[in-house]
């Protein structure tokens, strides 16, 4: 092993810089060189986007949010939309060009840090012969093969703090506050922050919700002299018999749905159903920003160090995964197969129900 290239792909998550820090330092200590490919694979297409990374370059980045390499969740190299001079669109595959450059530049390993979309691309490169190691990243915590992804703990802390702040204004105005949080088709952020932040109602994708049940809970609050309510809605939640709201239909180069808008939909239903003063807000990308929590930093540093250990052992086409108390390696093909959903019989769901939180289903 002599030369590693690392890239960060997909939506950013707090802890990406901690992974880069760990990879650069543990690889350098082994006498290897590390390069960073900016904006996903762009560094393997254009020299200006390829940067040498030394311990001096990454000093002090562990507590910082975002990624020093930049990221993109558009433009799969195997399925890249391009326009000709007449403005006509076509789809091309530029993976061979990337692989040729990887080999020509003498790289021995690619560490791809990303969510399921980026890891699938990494696996496709591995199938073409690129020695690839995946590192799981997403605030959504929806990768089945790892106990946790970094970024999730920070996103939950941000959402919980927001809920704490909303209590006083909701109470002052006797209002219902509906808060939409991220998470794609999984309700991890909604459930963890909703329980911790004192929500009355938590709506998650795993349980299609019934508006009568939601309104009943708000009305019951009033009967117990609690004239305000906090409702947390995961962006991927949907009403019984309904569908998710995709506001990204047709977004150029985007292969997955762009969720958003269910919070306002729920707020409207509450207004119509019980006539209560209701406001909605979308926490959005606040959940992706800021300094990673101690938990996320430590997890990200451990992922980075373990990825270099895998490179040392020649374990490619695998992803590093957290399986407490250990770090293990999982074939990329298995890692991208299923999204992790909330166990509806698990302790967190049970706790929510036992402390009186409505999960949108009929009891
Ligand atoms: O996967 C991370 C995530 O933040 C999701 O929770 C959310 O649906 C999506 O990315 C938003 O993507 P974008 O940055 O394109 O708005």
């Amino acid at each position: 092993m002599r030369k590693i290239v690392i890239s960060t792909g997909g939506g950013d998550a707090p802890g990406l810089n901690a992974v880069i820090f760990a990879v650069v330092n543990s690889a350098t200590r082994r006498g290897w060189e590390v390069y960073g490919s900016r904006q996903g694979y762009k560094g393997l297409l254009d020299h200006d986007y390829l940067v040498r990374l030394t311990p001096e370059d990454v000093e002090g980045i562990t507590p910082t949010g975002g990624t020093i390499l930049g990221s993109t969740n558009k433009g799969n190299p195997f399925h890249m939309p391009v326009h000709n001079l007449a403005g006509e669109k076509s789809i091309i595959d530029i993976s061979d060009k990337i692989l040729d450059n990887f080999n020509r530049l003498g790289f021995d390993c690619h560490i791809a840090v990303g969510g399921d979309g980026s890891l699938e691309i990494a696996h496709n490169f591995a199938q073409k012969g690129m020695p690839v190691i995946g590192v799981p990243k997403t605030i959504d915590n929806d990768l089945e093969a790892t106990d946790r992804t970094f970024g999730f703990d920070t996103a939950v802390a941000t959402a919980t703090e927001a809920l704490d702040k909303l209590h006083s204004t909701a109470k002052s105005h006797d209002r219902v506050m509906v808060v939409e949080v991220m998470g794609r088709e999984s309700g991890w952020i909604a459930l963890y922050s909703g329980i911790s932040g004192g929500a009355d109602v938590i709506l998650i994708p795993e349980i299609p919700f019934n508006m009568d049940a939601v309104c009943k809970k708000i009305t019951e609050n009033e009967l117990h002299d609690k004239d305000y309510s906090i409702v947390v809605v995961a962006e991927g939640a949907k009403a019984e018999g309904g569908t998710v709201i995709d506001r990204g239909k047709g977004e150029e180069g985007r292969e997955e749905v762009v969720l958003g808008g269910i919070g306002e939909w729920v707020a409207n239903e509450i207004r119509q159903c019980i006539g209560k003063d209701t406001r909605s807000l979308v926490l959005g990308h606040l959940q992706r920003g800021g300094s990673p929590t101690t938990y996320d930093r430590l997890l990200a540093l451990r992922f980075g160090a373990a990825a270099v250990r895998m490179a040392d052992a020649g374990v490619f086409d695998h992803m590093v995964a957290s399986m407490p108390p250990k770090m293990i390696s999982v074939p990329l093909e298995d890692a991208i197969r299923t999204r992790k959903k909330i166990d509806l019989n698990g302790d967190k769901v049970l706790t929510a129900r036992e402390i009186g939180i409505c999960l949108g289903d009929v009891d």
Side-chain angles (χ1 to χ4, degrees):
M1 186 67 52
R2 291 165 293 125
K3 259 172 114 176
I4 290 182
V5 59
I6 178 169
S7 66
T8 53
D12 67 338
L16 281 167
N17 286 333
V19 176
I20 297 169
F21 178 92
V23 167
V24 170
N25 279 283
S26 45
T28 305
R29 287 171 67 82
R30 284 170 163 85
W32 308 343
E33 286 182 359
V34 181
Y35 288 77
S37 171
R38 290 193 193 277
Q39 304 296 337
Y41 287 87
K42 219 163 175 181
L44 290 172
L45 284 167
D46 179 343
H47 241 84
D48 290 345
Y49 288 82
L50 192 65
V51 280
R52 174 89 164 89
L53 294 173
T54 66
E56 290 70 37
D57 297 318
V58 298
E59 195 199 322
I61 66 169
T62 294
T64 60
T67 159
I68 60 164
L69 294 175
S71 191
T72 174
N73 49 15
K74 288 181 181 173
N76 178 344
F78 290 85
H79 203 247
M80 180 74 87
V82 285
H83 295 93
N84 64 16
L85 289 176
E88 290 154 347
K89 184 178 151 187
S90 58
I91 303 289
I92 57 166
D93 178 348
I94 54 168
S95 60
D96 281 339
K97 199 167 168 199
I98 290 175
L99 185 62
D100 286 350
N101 285 340
F102 176 90
N103 290 327
R104 195 175 44 78
L105 292 163
F107 285 117
D108 304 293
C109 169
H110 173 212
I111 295 183
V113 192
D116 59 353
S118 311
L119 294 174
E120 187 174 352
I121 294 168
H123 174 59
N124 291 339
F125 272 115
Q127 295 297 293
K128 290 180 82 116
M130 187 187 278
V132 172
I133 293 167
V135 175
K137 160 254 46 156
T138 167
I139 65 162
D140 306 326
N141 197 37
D142 59 354
L143 291 177
E144 182 70 52
T146 181
D147 172 63
R148 275 289 180 101
T149 53
F150 66 84
F152 172 65
D153 189 63
T154 309
V156 169
T158 299
T160 304
E161 191 188 344
L163 294 176
D164 288 347
K165 288 186 174 166
L166 285 171
H167 275 267
S168 55
T169 174
K171 189 169 182 174
S172 304
H173 291 267
D174 288 347
R175 274 180 177 153
V176 179
M177 299 295 303
V178 180
V179 187
E180 181 180 304
V181 298
M182 284 184 168
R184 295 198 300 179
E185 286 91 16
S186 299
W188 297 99
I189 297 177
L191 187 67
Y192 277 47
S193 65
I195 295 175
S196 311
D200 300 283
V201 179
I202 303 172
L203 305 178
I204 55 176
E206 291 84 348
I207 305 178
F209 60 85
N210 177 298
M211 273 316 297
D212 290 341
V214 174
C215 293
K216 183 167 165 244
K217 172 67 186 175
I218 297 167
T219 311
E220 273 171 14
N221 274 355
E222 292 187 325
L223 291 175
H224 292 98
D225 290 333
K226 184 172 183 274
D227 292 322
Y228 74 98
S229 293
I230 306 283
V231 179
V232 177
V233 190
E235 61 181 2
K238 53 177 186 286
E240 280 173 356
T243 51
V244 296
I245 302 181
D246 176 8
R247 63 191 164 78
K249 280 199 174 82
E251 197 179 304
E252 178 85 1
R254 188 66 183 251
E255 296 188 333
E256 56 187 22
V257 295
V258 182
L259 297 165
I262 190 68
E264 183 50 23
W265 187 89
V266 168
N268 269 328
E269 291 290 307
I270 293 170
R271 277 184 215 111
Q272 280 171 27
C273 162
I274 46 178
K276 189 130 178 102
D277 199 9
T278 304
R279 296 285 187 275
S280 74
L281 72 149
V282 179
L283 281 193
H285 296 79
L286 274 179
Q287 296 157 99
R288 295 229 303 250
S291 178
T293 59
T294 308
Y295 184 96
D296 278 340
R297 288 180 206 188
L298 186 57
L299 182 62
L301 291 166
R302 291 176 64 215
F303 275 151
V308 173
R309 238 175 278 142
M310 281 161 65
D312 208 355
V315 182
F316 300 118
D317 198 13
H318 277 62
M319 180 189 89
V320 56
S322 158
M323 195 58 65
K326 288 189 195 158
M327 284 288 162
I328 58 165
S329 60
V330 182
L332 270 173
E333 193 179 5
D334 298 342
I336 55 183
R337 195 173 297 136
T338 35
R339 292 216 175 141
K340 184 165 58 184
K341 300 279 184 189
I342 288 169
D343 173 8
L344 298 183
N345 298 311
D347 180 64
K348 273 126 201 159
V349 168
L350 189 64
T351 301
R353 293 194 194 281
E354 285 179 347
I355 63 177
I357 297 173
C358 164
L359 297 178
D361 45 356
V362 187
D363 338 289

